[in-house]
Amino acid sequence: MITLSELRTRQAWPLNQKIDHTCYAVEAFVAYCKEHGRTPYVSFSGGLNSTVLLEIVRRFVDPNMPGVFCSTGNEYPEIVRFVRHTENVTIIRPTMTPREVVARYGFPLVSKEQAHGIYDVRHVKGEKTRRRRLEGVANSRSVMISKKWRYLINEPYEVSHKCCEYLKKGPMRKFYRNSNALVMLGTMAGESNLRTGQYLTRGSCNTFSDDPRKVYSAPLSIWTDTDCWDYIHRFNVPYCPIYDMPGITRTGCVFCGFGAQYGGGSRFRVLNNLHPKLYKMVMNYTNNGYTLRYALLRMGVQLPGEQPELFGEK
Ligand code: SF4
């Protein structure tokens, strides 16, 4: 374990020191894989961080390092094109489409932790779980549902955390089972409180365990977005051109409602500007006969061209 102030010190290191640190972590991970008869690979999303990770690994450690991209059917078309043009990347797919996942399990809204809590209260039988989610319990890892989002417990549509499971984690696990490979991720500790907490507990980029399912590497843990851009410019690294389009700050799943309450609806405005057909399609994903558009408006998200009087329409 390390302290938050130690993490902050590492995050303030100059880029050269971070590159050395990352290479050291990758080399240690690759050596571990070799020793245990496993193949290392980079989980490649086509986004900024994994683009940097794949490049750094191929430049300094192993030019043949494979990448794996999980195509959820939920990405910007520019990302898919960029991935297809990147060499030595295997594309895997989930067995369900985003539309099917949403229809069966509900919309991913607010945050993974809040959506999980709402799902638990609606579906898990047991007073203990319900109390934990509504009243909170000291030292419990379950997050309490915040007052602001409790209305979601009684909405006519479902809200859940399961989308990631069916669209991303499940296909990755299947790949892992079939390939015996171990993953390197481009995640950074500064991305969220959850990631910060995970890094503080691990204390380093690599996690080794007797259980191979728990072994992984996150060699960019102490990096920031600014470091990634500095690296890209220093080494002239090709990146997905979507980052040069106006308003783009994120390139993840286009319909995700996690964090949609922030940014004044800009992610949906940008999607609508760049790909209006795609925007229309995802807004019409439904659960229990209610659209994603309806659920987002209920959350107070500002959607392009929506009039306040439309609020509450199905
Ligand atoms: S990031 Fe959001 S939309 Fe994408 S798979 Fe996870 S929950 Fe679903």
Side-chain angles (χ1 to χ4, degrees):
M1 277 191 65
I2 63 161
T3 64
L4 188 58
S5 103
E6 284 170 306
L7 169 61
R8 296 284 179 254
T9 304
R10 291 179 191 184
Q11 284 171 325
W13 285 349
L15 185 58
N16 281 345
Q17 195 173 354
K18 286 183 177 175
I19 294 172
D20 286 349
H21 182 83
T22 293
C23 289
Y24 177 77
V26 172
E27 280 164 4
F29 189 74
V30 169
Y32 176 93
C33 289
K34 217 174 189 180
E35 207 178 298
H36 292 79
R38 305 275 177 162
T39 313
Y41 71 95
V42 170
S43 174
F44 181 56
S45 69
L48 178 67
N49 307 357
S50 61
T51 296
V52 168
L53 180 59
L54 191 60
E55 212 279 340
I56 209 169
V57 173
R58 287 181 177 175
R59 178 183 294 268
F60 294 107
V61 182
D62 178 358
N64 300 315
M65 181 64 68
V68 176
F69 173 70
C70 182
S71 179
T72 61
N74 196 10
E75 299 87 6
Y76 277 104
E78 290 84 353
I79 287 281
V80 178
R81 272 199 295 276
F82 176 66
V83 169
R84 289 211 176 114
H85 282 100
T86 307
E87 278 177 21
N88 194 13
V89 173
T90 302
I91 299 182
I92 59 173
R93 291 188 172 77
T95 51
M96 291 172 87
T97 64
R99 187 189 293 279
E100 288 167 341
V101 171
V102 162
R104 190 177 298 180
Y105 299 103
F107 302 120
L109 299 179
V110 185
S111 72
K112 201 173 279 183
E113 296 81 11
Q114 294 288 309
H116 196 162
I118 290 155
Y119 186 86
D120 277 358
V121 170
R122 289 174 73 139
H123 294 281
V124 174
K125 294 183 186 76
E127 198 44 35
K128 245 185 175 174
T129 305
R130 201 182 152 78
R131 267 217 328 272
R132 230 180 20 238
R133 290 304 195 178
L134 293 175
E135 295 161 24
V137 172
N139 301 325
S140 165
R141 288 175 68 191
S142 306
V143 170
M144 191 171 87
I145 305 169
S146 94
K147 290 222 164 64
K148 184 172 182 189
W149 306 116
R150 287 190 185 195
Y151 77 91
L152 288 165
I153 296 169
N154 300 310
E155 288 289 269
Y157 49 84
E158 295 279 350
V159 174
S160 97
H161 56 295
K162 293 187 177 247
C163 182
C164 261
E165 175 60 35
Y166 288 96
L167 293 182
K168 287 182 175 173
K169 289 184 186 167
M172 279 298 190
R173 266 203 306 274
K174 192 169 161 200
F175 174 80
Y176 158 83
R177 274 198 308 273
N178 295 341
S179 65
N180 220 14
L182 294 176
V183 69
M184 282 181 275
L185 300 164
T187 52
M188 302 185 302
E191 275 168 30
S192 65
N193 291 340
L194 187 72
R195 294 254 155 90
T196 300
Q198 286 169 344
Y199 183 75
L200 297 184
T201 309
R202 290 198 314 266
S204 69
C205 296
N206 293 332
T207 304
F208 300 124
S209 161
D210 289 340
D211 180 352
R213 288 169 304 181
K214 293 185 182 157
V215 176
Y216 71 99
S217 178
L220 298 186
S221 288
I222 59 168
W223 288 49
T224 62
D225 277 351
T226 309
D227 296 322
C228 290
W229 282 116
D230 288 349
Y231 182 89
I232 279 181
H233 294 135
R234 184 186 293 185
F235 292 100
N236 208 10
V237 179
Y239 59 90
C240 179
I242 195 159
Y243 283 102
D244 294 331
M245 294 179 178
I248 283 285
T249 52
R250 59 184 288 286
T251 55
C253 298
V254 292
F255 82 89
C256 194
F258 288 158
Q261 64 273 30
Y262 306 118
S266 65
R267 67 172 72 170
F268 299 111
R269 264 200 312 283
V270 170
L271 176 63
N272 188 40
N273 287 342
L274 294 178
H275 298 288
K277 275 192 190 153
L278 183 57
Y279 172 80
K280 211 169 158 194
M281 185 183 89
V282 301
M283 284 299 135
N284 282 319
Y285 286 172
T286 55
N287 180 275
N288 285 343
Y290 288 80
T291 60
L292 175 64
R293 167 185 167 274
Y294 174 81
L296 289 170
L297 286 172
R298 293 276 294 162
M299 261 177 81
V301 177
Q302 227 168 339
L303 296 179
E306 298 283 359
Q307 299 301 319
E309 60 267 25
L310 290 180
F311 179 85
E313 259 194 5
K314 197 168 158 184

